[in-house]
């Protein structure tokens, strides 16, 4: 039975890799199926620090990790997998945490991660950091999705123990290490967020930052053009997102352009 589960898990991860390569966005149901298969292989029941489970839409509350860095350790065939997780509202915060973990473990063999934030739309990233494609980053990202969390970055540091695990073993180990730290960490409920990208000419750059600050939003992923124009990703509470767009339009006298979101 276990070998059958391993086969289907390998097929599921492979399909996720193909979907991403074809720019097809896997849904939460796809990730949930992979998470279920990983649970079957680990023979461990699903336990959480909170008592309710929900499938999120853009208007639902968001569950994330409580403030602070959370850590747990898993050993698989003499290899140590150290799982680290933290709340991160944007890619800049996530990247800073990834670098922090790397600095803490300079002798680690791999520093693989998954990151997801926002609900309208969702921004996500993952990295295998030298492990075979699809064996580390995707299982970590799948663990975040499977635990129905958002605004979270999870890093798994591997210290090689001398025994090769194979693709299936790596998928199970990285997924299990990520799920373990995510399940042990306390969960907070967040107000729904909206993320969108805006572009303005140089004379309106100040208006962008002023309007976003007044709305309690944050900016990231700034890109400046040769003419001084600014493209920036804006994240704010969902309930004020349309009002903020109107404020930006008024502040720039209608010159602001709202672009298709770029992962920041």
């Amino acid at each position: 039975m276990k070998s059958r589960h391993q086969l289907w898990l390998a097929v599921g991860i492979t399909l996720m890799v193909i979907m991403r390569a074809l720019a097809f966005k896997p849904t939460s149901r796809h990730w949930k199926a992979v998470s279920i298969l990983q649970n079957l292989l680990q023979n461990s029941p699903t336990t959480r620090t909170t008592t309710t489970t929900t499938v999120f839409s853009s208007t639902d509350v968001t569950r994330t990790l409580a403030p602070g860095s959370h850590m747990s350790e898993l050993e698989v065939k003499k290899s140590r997998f150290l799982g680290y997780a933290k709340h991160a509202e944007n890619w800049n915060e996530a990247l800073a945490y990834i670098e922090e973990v790397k600095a803490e473990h300079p002798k680690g063999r791999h520093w693989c991660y998954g990151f997801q934030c926002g609900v309208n739309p969702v921004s996500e990233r993952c990295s295998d950091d030298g492990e075979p494609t699809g064996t580390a980053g995707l299982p970590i990202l799948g663990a975040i999705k499977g635990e129905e969390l958002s605004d979270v970055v999870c890093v798994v540091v591997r210290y090689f123990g001398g025994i090769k695990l194979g693709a299936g073993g790596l998928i199970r180990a990285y997924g299990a290490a990520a799920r373990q730290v995510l399940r042990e960490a306390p969960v907070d409920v967040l107000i729904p967020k909206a993320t969108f990208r805006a572009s303005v000419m140089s004379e309106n750059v100040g208006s962008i930052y002023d309007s976003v600050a007044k709305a309690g939003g944050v900016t990231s992923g700034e890109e400046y053009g040769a003419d001084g124009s600014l493209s920036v990703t804006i994240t704010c509470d969902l309930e004020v997102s349309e009002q903020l767009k109107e404020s930006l339009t008024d502040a720039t006298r209608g010159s602001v352009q709202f672009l298709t979101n770029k992962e920041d």
Side-chain angles (χ1 to χ4, degrees), residues 97-130:
Y97 183 64
I98 294 168
E99 294 301 324
E100 179 183 322
V101 173
K102 284 184 177 181
E104 187 174 343
H105 295 279
K107 295 184 179 180
R109 184 71 171 268
H110 300 281
W111 305 269
C112 307
Y113 64 80
F115 163 69
Q116 176 176 278
C117 79
V119 292
N120 187 29
V122 172
S123 176
E124 61 186 41
R125 294 186 183 219
C126 65
S127 170
D128 297 313
D129 192 44

Side-chain angles (χ1 to χ4, degrees), residues 125-179:
R125 294 186 183 219
C126 65
S127 170
D128 297 313
D129 192 44
E131 294 283 29
T133 301
T135 62
L138 279 175
I140 296 171
L141 182 60
I144 296 173
K145 293 174 179 289
E147 296 304 307
E148 296 177 346
L149 297 168
S150 186
D151 294 9
V152 167
V153 56
C154 181
V155 187
V156 178
V157 181
R158 182 188 182 190
Y159 284 89
F160 185 56
I163 300 175
K164 293 185 177 181
L165 303 182
L170 290 172
I171 290 170
R172 292 191 297 275
Y174 278 103
R179 288 196 307 277

Side-chain angles (χ1 to χ4, degrees), residues 229-249:
S229 61
L230 169 69
S231 294
V232 61
T233 297
I234 298 169
T235 302
C236 64
D237 292 351
L238 180 62
E239 64 180 3
V240 302
S241 60
E242 292 304 318
Q243 180 181 345
L244 175 55
K245 287 182 178 180
E246 292 178 3
S247 297
L248 292 172
T249 300

